[in-house]
């Protein structure tokens, strides 16, 4: 079993829909990251959080430390949101990041 | 502000040839540095990380090596490439564990 599990693996949505991507982990962490990878391969960090909730524009990330679960929400989705969204956790001990397999999101107009 | 650069962006190399991918970070000191590989259709895999000059930790046994000759320089190398080394390689840095991680632009390596 992978230490970080994401769901769904693939997601197709219509423009304007509310989108949720889930991430569950089984290890002790110091932080959780949500990353966005565009078709060209470049990766940007969307959020880093260790508790509660963060919001940036139409993106919202939440984490429940007790349940070892995080969600990434996209409100009013747009075709430009199409990308791979990756959940990663910073291990509680050491300097490792462990990645989920990613969620391929396609938003159709 | 901090920036990270890696090069080359794309590389086509024959089997058995050497490899050198370079990554530099600007605007910070003593960063944690990472090399990741993403094989086609798969997630990111940590190859090496470094918490300081000359300090390299390897996560998986492989045909690759890493070096950190300067504080903000991280190099990924191979003496003889294998077909299985093909993939997308990403350099990244963070201030410390639990901090935001920043990725380079990535390098597409095709071994033929």
């Amino acid at each position: 079993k992978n230490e970080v599990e994401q769901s769904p693996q693939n997601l197709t949505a219509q423009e304007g829909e509310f989108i949720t991507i889930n991430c569950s982990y089984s290890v002790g962490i110091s932080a959780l990251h949500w990353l966005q990878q565009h078709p060209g391969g470049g990766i940007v960090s969307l959020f880093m959080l260790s508790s509660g909730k963060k919001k940036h524009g139409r993106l919202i990330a939440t984490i429940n430390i007790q349940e070892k679960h995080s969600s990434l929400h996209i409100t009013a989705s747009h075709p430009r949101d199409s990308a791979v969204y990756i959940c990663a956790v910073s291990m509680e001990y050491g300097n490792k990041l462990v990645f989920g397999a990613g969620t391929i999101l396609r938003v159709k107009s | 502000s901090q920036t990270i650069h890696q090069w080359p962006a794309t590389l086509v190399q024959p089997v058995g040839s050497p490899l050198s991918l370079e990554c530099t970070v600007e605007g910070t000191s003593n960063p944690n540095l990472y090399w990741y590989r993403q094989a086609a259709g798969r997630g990111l895999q940590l190859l090496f990380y470094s918490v300081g000059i000359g300090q390299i930790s390897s996560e998986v046994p492989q045909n690759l090596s890493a070096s950190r000759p300067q504080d903000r320089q991280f190099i990924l190398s191979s003496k003889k490439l294998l077909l299985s080394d093909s993939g997308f390689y990403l350099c990244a840095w963070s201030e410390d564990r639990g901090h935001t991680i920043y990725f380079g632009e990535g390098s597409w390596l095709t071994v033929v």
Side-chain angles (χ1 to χ4, degrees), chain B residues 8-56:
Chain B
T10 58
L11 203 57
V12 180
Q13 291 284 100
V15 169
S17 64
L19 170 74
S20 181
L21 299 179
E22 189 164 342
C23 173
T24 59
V25 180
E26 298 175 2
T28 187
S29 59
N30 198 33
N32 288 351
L33 295 171
Y34 309 87
W35 277 111
Y36 294 93
R37 175 170 60 200
Q38 187 176 42
R42 300 180 67 178
L44 285 159
Q45 179 186 38
L46 177 64
L47 301 176
F48 301 95
Y49 70 90
S50 171
V51 298
I53 295 175
Q55 300 179 62
I56 309 293

Side-chain angles (χ1 to χ4, degrees), chain A residues 2-85:
Chain A
N2 292 335
E3 293 165 311
V4 180
E5 297 276 358
Q6 275 185 246
S7 63
Q9 288 184 310
N10 290 278
L11 182 57
T12 300
Q14 282 297 131
E15 183 173 358
E17 285 185 358
F18 180 82
I19 290 166
T20 296
I21 299 171
N22 295 299
C23 175
S24 297
Y25 54 93
S26 57
V27 294
I29 69 170
S30 58
L32 183 141
H33 308 258
W34 280 104
L35 311 169
Q36 182 189 53
Q37 185 173 29
H38 285 281
I43 295 179
V44 295
S45 176
L46 299 175
F47 296 102
M48 189 204 64
L49 63 166
S50 53
S51 65
K53 175 180 173 179
K54 286 189 176 180
K55 184 176 187 292
H56 185 257
R58 295 180 293 105
L59 300 177
I60 302 167
T62 63
I63 188 169
N64 185 317
I65 297 295
Q66 287 73 29
E67 295 185 4
K68 295 189 174 179
H69 181 269
S70 174
S71 294
L72 176 68
H73 305 286
I74 304 176
T75 62
S77 60
H78 190 275
R80 65 174 175 266
D81 296 326
S82 298
V84 178
Y85 292 83

Side-chain angles (χ1 to χ4, degrees), chain A residues 30-31 33 35 37 39-45 48 86 90-97 99-101, chain B residues 32 34 36 38 42-46 49 51 59 88 90 96-105 108:
Chain A
S30 58
H33 308 258
L35 311 169
Q37 185 173 29
I43 295 179
V44 295
S45 176
M48 189 204 64
I86 302 169
S90 295
M91 302 287 278
E92 189 173 20
Y93 301 104
N95 290 283
K96 291 177 58 174
L97 269 182
F99 292 85
Chain B
N32 288 351
Y34 309 87
Y36 294 93
Q38 187 176 42
R42 300 180 67 178
L44 285 159
Q45 179 186 38
L46 177 64
Y49 70 90
V51 298
E59 287 299 303
F88 185 57
L90 284 155
D96 200 354
R97 63 181 177 86
H99 283 69
T100 299
I101 187 163
Y102 302 93
F103 288 86
E105 305 93 334
W108 290 97

